[in-house]
Amino acid sequence: MPHRPTVSIAEFSVSDREAGPYGITAGPDGAVWFTMVHHGRIGRVTPGGDTTSYQLEPASSGPSIITAGPDDALWFTEFRSHRIGRITTAGNVASFPLPTPNAGPFGITTGPDDALWFTEANADRIGRITPDGHVTEFPLPLSGAFPSAIATGPDERLWFTMNQANAIGAIGRAGDVTIYPLPTPDCAPVGITAGADGAMWFVEIGAGQIGRIMPDGRIDEFALPDRASRPHAIAAHADGTCWFTEWGANRIGRITPNGRIDEHDLPSPSSEPHGITQGPDGAMWTALEIGTIARLTAL
């Protein structure tokens, strides 16, 4: 029988319930950084649970997804202020407005070119920003696609989900876009990550499935035991697995490269897990909207 992992789960209180911890990433300083989407703050928590947070202006900016940049700073999207934000590990904040009004930036990742690539959910564009703040935008060949999460692939293209177009997209450095329609209707993909198997793994929040797409466009889908669990975000682990949040079921899931799924209930009820990342300590960390950050350590 294959080994079924068990996990130890610790929760750290980082805010009140209204702040909405949302995106999360490993920082270059050995800590985990996260966004508080409703209070307009960026938070930091150490493996020992020490927490610091920094206020953005305005507080209504809607910081969403956060990633470690190529410059040892953290970069994040401001969905409501239509800006890209940057914060140093010392807490110094800068913001860069986007050329397109009401763009709604959401997903963000460091690209293979030492720039940050991001999605513009309201404008059907993919953006690129250099560490010094120069922005380029690339239009998508679809309208109303709602591009969401984005991640760098093994082929050095940027792969992104199109939540309303039911498709996965890939964009090259020159702005050339390829669209890959998904087999399941209305599956509404959101999170995406690069797996250790040379594929991109993504979640289908509308279908309760985990998807895998190879660089040549071949797609596999794996149904979750609870199709109504609303998987939201996904992150690769160094052991070759991918971990994902089940926002509607209060669980964290794990999928192996061959499609085996394990699930772990979170201890706090209705905690609404959103972003997930592998931390500097090797554990998986997830942001819970109830105002806590959870650390999951495999035993």
Side-chain angles (χ1 to χ4, degrees), residues 62-66 75-79 83-85 105-108 118:
S64 298
I65 306 301
I66 187 168
W75 290 74
F76 54 93
T77 53
E78 297 181 40
F79 185 80
R83 302 182 304 195
I84 302 299
F106 182 72
I108 190 167
F118 56 94

Side-chain angles (χ1 to χ4, degrees), residues 128-142:
R128 175 185 182 273
I129 184 169
T130 61
D132 62 1
H134 178 73
V135 177
T136 309
E137 295 173 311
F138 303 98
L140 298 179
L142 299 176

